[in-house]
Amino acid sequence: MSTEVRQMFSSIATRYDVTNEVLSFGIHRLWRRTAVRLSGAKEGSAVLDCATGTGDLALAFKRKVGASGRVMGTDFCKEMLDSAPAKAAREGLQVEFQVADAMDLPFADDTFDVASIAFGIRNVDDPVKCLKEMARVVRPGGRVVVLEFGQPTGFFGALFRMYSKVIMPAIGGLLTGNRAAYEYLPRTSAAFPAGDRFLALMDQTGAYQERVAHPMTFGTSYVYVGTVR
């Protein structure tokens, strides 16, 4: 799956930010701010953002940790990363970026205070391995933060599913020229474990002493926070 996913993101990279803004109505900004707040990151913290894409969450963390903090953003798709350094430079933020696989991180144990991944863990070949690898590079007592889509229920859930299956592929395809990518993304979101089922994946790693799920926007997305053993 990794090769196919890499090719898919490569094909939409140049239009990813614009399309994401349109499809989420800008609410992804609120979700990222919530993830940063729940991470416990503070001035001077060292943060790793996996599957950073064009760097939005990495930049949000850099604003939080300040000049004395360090933020490293990694992604396994070079084309997604290509625009990230210029975006950071425009905001006067010093963030490091590196091509790397979230399941095989090129960092020593206990390097970071926080590791995060936003809307990326459902695209890795082995989510449990990814969660364990992220915990490995975080010091004991530090946090791993996962921002991912959920499956809302009730009336809002029905509206969300219709939007995901019909409107999102149409608009995404129009803006990027790759309708298949925006059929894949909501399909994987609907199938990926959410809520307690995702917490069970975290438990399988044996790497976390505590973990909690924070639902947002009627369960449309979750912030999962695990405290590393």
Side-chain angles (χ1 to χ4, degrees), residues 6-182:
R6 185 184 294 110
Q7 291 172 346
M8 179 192 73
F9 278 108
S10 174
S11 73
I12 64 176
T14 58
R15 301 290 294 170
Y16 181 80
D17 281 350
V18 170
T19 307
N20 194 29
E21 190 73 22
V22 171
L23 292 176
S24 74
F25 303 100
I27 201 169
H28 63 100
R29 299 174 184 271
L30 171 63
W31 292 344
R32 285 198 303 272
R33 286 198 296 270
T34 301
V36 171
R37 176 174 58 82
L38 293 172
S39 74
K42 56 184 183 296
E43 186 85 19
S45 292
V47 179
L48 170 67
D49 183 40
C50 301
T52 195
T54 60
D56 284 338
L57 184 55
L59 269 58
F61 270 114
K62 183 59 179 176
R63 297 183 199 104
K64 182 69 174 180
V65 304
S68 62
R70 177 196 181 197
V71 177
M72 167 67 75
T74 65
D75 202 289
F76 77 156
C77 178
K78 178 184 178 298
E79 288 78 9
M80 287 291 286
L81 277 179
D82 281 347
S83 64
K87 185 186 293 188
R90 284 195 298 272
E91 296 196 30
L93 298 172
Q94 187 173 357
V95 178
E96 303 167 70
F97 293 102
Q98 182 175 334
V99 176
D101 189 333
M103 294 189 298
D104 186 20
L105 295 167
F107 307 109
D109 296 358
D110 308 339
T111 299
F112 300 95
D113 300 301
V114 174
S116 63
I117 185 168
F119 307 114
I121 199 162
R122 73 182 189 277
N123 296 319
V124 304
D125 288 336
D126 188 340
V128 173
K129 182 178 180 181
C130 178
L131 287 166
K132 191 170 184 177
E133 180 69 349
M134 291 173 70
R136 178 187 67 78
V137 301
V138 171
R139 62 170 177 78
R143 291 178 178 177
V144 168
V145 179
V146 179
L147 174 58
E148 190 52 86
F149 285 113
Q151 294 99 38
T153 58
F155 178 70
F156 183 83
L159 289 176
F160 179 73
R161 286 189 292 276
M162 183 186 71
Y163 175 76
S164 298
K165 292 179 180 179
V166 178
I167 299 174
M168 185 181 293
I171 296 176
L174 182 65
L175 292 176
T176 67
N178 188 344
R179 182 187 176 98
Y182 288 90

